[in-house]
Every structure is written in structure tokens, then in C-alpha cells.
Amino acid sequence: MSERLDYQKQAPALFKKLLDYSMAAHATTIEEPIQDLIAIRASQLNGCGFCVDMHVKQATIHGERPLRLHHLAVWRESTLFSPRERAALAWTEVLTQLPVHGVPDELYERVRGQLSEQEILDLTHAVMGINAWNRINIAFRSEPGSRDKAWGLDKADLN
């Protein structure tokens, strides 16, 4: 498959606004390791190869352990994630694959047991951001690894 179009060049103002939103959502109460995990998990669920590739490389650069990255797809069965990380991953999954009847109260209460209201709001914005990126990269078939050098992801040394 080849890339359909370069959305960054076609609509630079909108690209910048989405980037600004994502950067603002990233600079919140949610710590970077959790931000990395939720970006990868949402991208896995959405089937966005470009974003999975990018965020695995970012997480590696940030010091994430390879085994945790391998376990992310099966985080419920893994013992490698803290209760706080589990809450963030559960929230990410429910917002990425919204149930017909919305977010269950039981899940909200479970997440609320690990994160403050501000943290839940900040996490929600981070999930919204990665889902937007997934959708645009899937729509236009962004090629995994195609922007590694420009974005410094080659430092992950995963090729």
C-alpha cells in the first residue's frame, strides 16, 4: 500500500492545530510512561500501523522495557502493569471502542479509584488526541517508519 496523500502538507494549519492539541494534552498530569502506553494501545485497537510503530519507538527512547511493550496487547493477563496503568489502559480501551450505551459506571468508578478527576479528564484528552491521529493516518495510509529520521525516532534503533 502506498500513502494516499501527505495531510501535513495539504492542510498545514489543521495539522498544526492537531499537533498543538496533542502537545497540550501530553503536558498534563498523566506521566509520560502512561501516555506512551495509551498511545500504543489505542493505536493497536484502531489498527494504525504508523502510530503503533511511532509510539513503540518513542516509548523505547523514553526507556520503556521491551517486555512491557510486548505484553501491552494482553495487559489484562500480564503482571507487568500497575493498578494505575491498568486503569488508564481500561479507560483508553473504552473510549477508543465506545460501547453502544456509553462508559459503564463500574468502569468509571474503578478508574476513579486510581486517578483523580483532573487526571481522568487529562487522560481523556490524551485518548481523544491519539484516536484523531489514528484516524488520519489510517485514512491516508501513512507508512510506518517514513518519518523516523525527521522526528528523531531513528534513535530508538529498532530497525
Side-chain angles (χ1 to χ4, degrees), residues 36-38 40-41 44-45 52 56 64-82 85-86 89 93:
D36 288 337
L37 294 175
I38 64 113
I40 296 165
R41 187 64 187 135
Q44 288 173 334
L45 293 171
V52 168
V56 164
E64 186 57 76
R65 296 184 348 228
L67 187 58
R68 282 172 40 99
L69 295 174
H70 291 296
H71 279 224
L72 191 52
V74 293
W75 65 268
R76 283 181 182 82
E77 291 81 26
S78 177
T79 60
L80 300 179
F81 301 98
S82 70
E85 291 168 331
R86 291 174 177 284
L89 290 167
E93 287 188 358

Side-chain angles (χ1 to χ4, degrees), residues 87 91 105-120:
W91 193 250
D105 290 338
E106 177 276 323
L107 177 59
Y108 178 78
E109 291 305 322
R110 191 164 22 113
V111 171
R112 181 72 176 88
Q114 294 296 321
L115 294 103
S116 70
E117 288 181 353
Q118 184 63 55
E119 290 170 329
I120 294 170

Side-chain angles (χ1 to χ4, degrees), residues 8 31 34 64 70 76 89 118 128-130 139 155:
Q8 183 176 349
E31 54 271 34
I34 289 180
E64 186 57 76
H70 291 296
R76 283 181 182 82
L89 290 167
Q118 184 63 55
M128 289 167 51
I130 190 57
K155 293 179 185 124

Side-chain angles (χ1 to χ4, degrees), residues 6-51:
D6 185 339
Y7 61 82
Q8 183 176 349
K9 287 182 182 172
Q10 289 289 114
L14 289 174
F15 172 80
K16 179 155 179 12
K17 288 187 184 301
L18 183 54
L19 186 60
D20 289 346
Y21 175 81
S22 295
M23 297 300 284
H26 191 78
T28 62
T29 60
I30 304 301
E31 54 271 34
E32 189 169 63
I34 289 180
Q35 296 251 1
D36 288 337
L37 294 175
I38 64 113
I40 296 165
R41 187 64 187 135
S43 300
Q44 288 173 334
L45 293 171
N46 286 322
C48 184
F50 179 86
C51 291

